[in-house]
Amino acid sequence: MTDGGIETARRTPATLHDVAREAGVSLATASRSLNGSTRKVNEEYRKRVLEAAARLDYSPNLSAQAVARGTTTTVALLVADIADPYFSSIAAGVVAEADHERLIVTMAATERDPERELELVRTLRGQRPRVMILAGSRPTSDPTEGALGEELRAYERSGGVVVLISRNELELRTVLVENRDGAEALARELVGIGYRRFAIITGGEGLRTAADRVDGFRAGLAATGGELRDDDILRAAFTRDGGYDGMRSLIERGLGDLELVFAANDVMAVGALSAIRDANLVPGRDVAIAGFDDIPTVRDVTPALTTVRVPLEEIGRRALRLALGDEEAANEGAIRTEVVLRESTPGITR
Amino acid sequence: MTDGGIETARRTPATLHDVAREAGVSLATASRSLNGSTRKVNEEYRKRVLEAAARLDYSPNLSAQAVARGTTTTVALLVADIADPYFSSIAAGVVAEADHERLIVTMAATERDPERELELVRTLRGQRPRVMILAGSRPTSDPTEGALGEELRAYERSGGVVVLISRNELELRTVLVENRDGAEALARELVGIGYRRFAIITGGEGLRTAADRVDGFRAGLAATGGELRDDDILRAAFTRDGGYDGMRSLIERGLGDLELVFAANDVMAVGALSAIRDANLVPGRDVAIAGFDDIPTVRDVTPALTTVRVPLEEIGRRALRLALGDEEAANEGAIRTEVVLRESTPGITR
DNA sequence: TCGGGGTGAGAAAGCGCTTCCTCGCACGCC
DNA sequence: GGCGTGCGAGGAAGCGCTTTCTCACCCCGA
C-alpha cells in the first residue's frame, strides 16, 4: 500500500523497514548490516541487505538514528558574521575537520548581538549537537553574561561539549590565540624599524580579542620606547567601515607627528587604508598602517599590509579536535601568531 | 530512578515527559502547550506547562520532533569553498533568511570536486532537509553529471526542494543571475570609455557562470567593435591564485597592445592586480583590469576595481525564499547586476 | 545419546516526540 | 428531565531507527 509496488512512484524515502522486507530479513539484521554494529551478521545476509538498500536508494534517516541512539553527529557553529573573512576562514576549518570526522555542521550568525547569541544557543541546543563552537569574542560588559554561561553549562551537563574561540571569560574549553604576544611582537618590530609615534584603532568596548591585542601592543611599545597617548586609542565598530571611520576621525583631528596606526584587525586596517587614500594621503609614506589576522586579501591591497598572521582555518580545525577530546589539540597551547612585515610599514630611518 | 529527584544533578536533558509530570498534565497536553498546535488547551494548564518547562530548562528534541512530524526544519547548503567571499556572502544571505523563517542551516563544502559534491548530497539527504541549496557552478563535462541529477531528483520526489544558484544545467529551481547581460554591459561601457584591445582570464573548463560571463563580454565587444583574439582567453583556476597566474602568463608572453584584462570574477581580478604590480607595472595605467561580483574588498584595493555588482547576500536570500515557494521570489526573474566603474579602468582618450 | 555452550537471527521494547481517537463532562434544547 | 452536542484532556499508536533479549539451531564433548 505504502509503496504501491512501483518503486519509481514512491513519494516517501525508503525506510529501513522497506529494505529489510526487500532483502527478506528482519529489521534488526538490516540495521546491523548497514551500520557498523559490533554484532556479526551472516555474509550472505549482509550482501542481500546492501543490495536491497542500493536498489531502493535507501538513505538512513539521521533524525531517527539520533533519537534511537540518543546521540547525534552534529556540531553547531556560532559566529558573529559569516561574510567576514575572519569568521568564514574559521568556519572553513571547522567544516573541513567535521567532514573528516563525518560530522555535520550547522551554522548560525549572532550578528554580534549577545541577546541573539543567547537565543541561538537555546535553539541550537534542541538539536542536541555533540559539540558547540562559539567564535567571536563578546563584550565583557554583557547584559546576558550570566545567562549564556548558565545555558552553556547546562548544555555541558547534559553531555555536550562547548569550545570557545579566543574568549576565555567562561570556564570552558577554549582555543587560545596568541593575540597579546603577537601584538607585542609586532610593536617591537615596528619600533625596531624606526617608528615612534603610534595610534590604535580598535573594536567596541571590551571585546576580549581586541583588548588583548591592544594590551599586547601597548606592552611592546612600553618596553621599547614607542609612544602612544591615551587619546590615541580610538574605538569603532570591529568592521571595515569601523576602521574607515576611525582613521577618518584621526585624520580630521590632524595627524600631527603620528607615524603609524595599528588597527586591531585586518578588515579595520583595510578600511583605514582606504580612509587614508580618500584623504589624498599615501599610506605607508604619510602614515604607516598595520593590522592583525593576515586575512587573504591583505597581501593584495596597496601597499600590502603589515599584519600578524593567525592561522584561521587551523583555529577552526583545532576547535573541533579539542571538542572531540583530541589529546594533542589539548596540549598544543595557544595558537601561534607571526609578524609579517609588508610595504604598509616601510620603516623610518632617523 | 532516572532523575534521582534532584534536578540539578540530572545528566540528560529534560524530556517532554518530565515536563508533563512536573506540570501534572498528560504528555499530549504538554506537547500541545509547547508548540503551536491548532488545538485549544486550557489557559490554566498551558501556564502550568510553560512554567514547568522553564523550571526544568526544557528544550524540545528537534530530532524527535522531526521523526514524529515526518518533517524537519533544516536547510542544507552546499558551497564550493566557504572561505571564498563569493560563497560566504551567499551563505550569509541563506543563513539570514533561514533564521528569519526559524530554520536551521547545515553547511558543507564541495571543494569544487564533483565526486565530493555527489557524496555530500547523499549524506545530507539523510538529514531529510526541507531544502537543499547548491551554489557554485560545476564543469559541464562532469563525470558524475547524471548521478547528481538523479540524486537530486530522487530527493525532490521524496518531498524536498532543491535550488541551484546560477547553474541551470539541471531542470530544477534556479536562482538566475544576469551574468551574461552584466558582462555584456561591462564590455560596452569599457569600449565606451575608449578601450579596444581586450583579454580575458576565466575559470576552468565549462564552469557555467564563468562561461556566461565570457560569452556576454564577447558579445558586448562584438557589438561595439572591441577586439578580442581567441588566444587572449586564458583559463586558470577560479581563485585568487588562478587570476595571478593567468595575468602572469599574459605578461610573460608580452602585453603588446593589450589594454584591458577582464577577469571572470573579482578574486581572480584581485590576483591579476597583484601580478601586474609584481611585474612592476601599474594597473590601470599600463593595463586596465575589470572583474565581476563586487565582493567587499575590491573597493579597497588600489586601484579600486571596476566590476559588475551582483548582490550576493540577496542571492542567498532569494534562493531560500524560492525554495519555500515564495511567489514573489519566483516571479522576480534573474538577479540584476550593475556595472561599477572604478579607477582600475580610467579610460583611454584617443 | 544427551546436554551444554556458543552463535546469530528476529521479536520487541524503547528513544522523545506528535496526533488520532476515545471518552467524560458541561451545556442547551425540546 | 432526557438527550444531543461541543469541547478538550488524556490514552495510545506510531514515526524510523537501535539494541536488548529470546530462542532456535548447531557443534562438541562426555
Side-chain angles (χ1 to χ4, degrees), chain A residues 8 10-14 57 59-64 66-67 72 82-83 88-89 91-92 95 99 102 104-109 116 119-120 122-128 151 154 156-159 240-241 270 274 277 297 299-302, chain B residues 8 10-14 57 59-64 66-67 72 82-83 88-89 91-92 95 99 102 104-109 116 119-120 122-128 151 154 156-159 240-241 270 274 277 297 299-302:
Chain A
T8 57
R10 56 178 314 123
R11 288 226 49 77
T12 109
D57 197 14
S59 137
N61 183 321
L62 261 30
S63 295
V67 173
T72 64
I82 297 172
S88 65
S89 296
V95 169
D99 190 87
R102 325 212 108 259
I104 279 173
V105 3
T106 85
M107 185 143 159
R116 241 179 99 56
E119 204 185 309
L120 284 173
R122 291 221 165 98
T123 331
L124 257 20
R125 254 186 71 193
Q127 286 199 78
R128 306 287 185 268
E151 195 70 24
E156 288 226 311
R157 235 176 287 128
S158 69
R240 186 266 181 199
D241 289 345
V270 167
S274 280
R277 263 194 308 265
T297 44
R299 54 179 180 164
D300 291 317
V301 297
T302 332
Chain B
T8 59
R10 55 177 316 124
R11 289 228 48 78
T12 107
D57 198 14
S59 138
N61 184 321
L62 293 182
S63 296
V67 173
T72 65
I82 296 172
S88 66
S89 295
V95 168
D99 190 87
R102 322 212 111 258
I104 279 173
V105 5
T106 86
M107 182 142 160
R116 239 179 102 55
E119 205 185 308
L120 283 172
R122 290 220 166 99
T123 329
L124 257 19
R125 254 186 73 193
Q127 285 199 78
R128 307 285 184 270
E151 195 68 25
E156 288 225 311
R157 235 177 286 127
S158 69
R240 184 264 181 200
D241 290 346
V270 167
S274 280
R277 262 194 309 264
T297 45
R299 54 178 180 165
D300 291 318
V301 297
T302 333

Side-chain angles (χ1 to χ4, degrees), chain A:
Chain A
M1 196 55 125
T2 355
D3 62 344
I6 301 166
E7 286 164 31
T8 57
R10 56 178 314 123
R11 288 226 49 77
T12 109
T15 71
L16 188 58
H17 189 92
D18 299 329
V19 175
R21 184 156 30 69
E22 172 87 8
V25 302
S26 74
L27 209 51
T29 301
S31 170
R32 292 195 271 256
S33 306
L34 288 171
N35 71 21
S37 158
T38 46
R39 282 258 316 245
K40 274 197 176 159
V41 18
N42 185 304
E43 199 42 55
E44 164 68 15
Y45 280 15
R46 175 194 303 283
K47 196 160 142 276
R48 289 230 304 266
V49 172
L50 261 35
E51 282 168 9
R55 219 174 311 135
L56 297 183
D57 197 14
Y58 172 74
S59 137
N61 183 321
L62 261 30
S63 295
Q65 287 193 325
V67 173
R69 291 189 175 142
T71 152
T72 64
T73 57
T74 302
V75 0
L77 173 62
L78 234 64
V79 299
D81 174 7
I82 297 172
D84 182 318
Y86 175 81
F87 293 109
S88 65
S89 296
I90 291 179
V94 172
V95 169
E97 189 69 23
D99 190 87
H100 183 252
E101 301 285 338
R102 325 212 108 259
L103 296 171
I104 279 173
V105 3
T106 85
M107 185 143 159
T110 66
E111 267 141 37
R112 302 173 206 275
D113 174 352
E115 314 258 6
R116 241 179 99 56
E117 179 171 44
L118 179 58
E119 204 185 309
L120 284 173
V121 168
R122 291 221 165 98
T123 331
L124 257 20
R125 254 186 71 193
Q127 286 199 78
R128 306 287 185 268
R130 274 243 272 274
V131 175
M132 222 154 131
I133 298 177
L134 274 62
S137 65
R138 63 214 311 271
T140 44
S141 64
D142 176 353
T144 66
E145 181 64 47
L148 182 71
E150 207 33 70
E151 195 70 24
L152 293 176
R153 264 183 290 275
Y155 168 67
E156 288 226 311
R157 235 176 287 128
S158 69
V161 8
V162 0
V163 174
L164 305 179
I165 288 177
S166 198
R167 33 143 82 182
N168 40 11
E169 70 268 30
L170 302 167
E171 292 166 351
L172 292 162
R173 234 159 300 216
T174 303
V175 176
L176 255 17
V177 179
E178 277 185 347
N179 283 317
R180 203 186 172 290
D181 293 357
E184 178 168 349
L186 175 64
R188 287 172 181 273
E189 295 230 26
L190 292 175
V191 171
I193 58 175
Y195 292 100
R196 291 293 175 273
R197 277 283 291 115
F198 296 85
I200 298 184
I201 304 178
T202 179
E205 200 62 56
L207 287 179
R208 186 66 192 190
T209 302
D212 286 350
R213 292 176 181 180
V214 170
D215 284 355
F217 198 80
R218 297 181 84 147
L221 294 187
T224 52
E227 197 185 329
L228 174 72
R229 299 183 200 133
D230 273 352
D231 61 346
D232 281 346
I233 301 189
L234 267 76
R235 298 196 179 285
F238 216 36
T239 62
R240 186 266 181 199
D241 289 345
Y244 188 96
D245 294 345
M247 189 67 222
R248 195 158 73 184
S249 40
L250 232 32
I251 292 169
E252 276 168 5
R253 80 178 197 205
L255 256 24
D257 56 351
L258 185 60
E259 293 167 351
L260 187 147
V261 174
F262 169 54
N265 71 12
D266 279 350
V267 297
M268 293 186 89
V270 167
L273 230 39
S274 280
I276 295 171
R277 263 194 308 265
D278 287 356
N280 286 317
L281 297 174
V282 179
R285 195 196 62 190
D286 295 326
V287 58
I289 188 132
F292 208 113
D293 284 339
D294 200 28
I295 59 174
T297 44
V298 298
R299 54 179 180 164
D300 291 317
V301 297
T302 332
L305 196 66
T306 285
T307 188
V308 179
R309 170 172 307 147
V310 1
L312 267 3
E313 279 216 29
E314 165 70 11
I315 291 181
R317 257 180 277 125
R318 174 89 74 94
L320 189 50
R321 294 219 315 280
L322 195 60
L324 265 24
D326 183 311
E327 280 291 325
E328 254 179 75
N331 297 326
E332 269 171 349
I335 296 268
R336 308 300 289 267
T337 57
E338 179 195 358
V339 175
V340 185
L341 294 181
R342 297 204 181 93
E343 294 88 63
S344 68
T345 58
I348 295 183
T349 42
R350 293 178 179 274

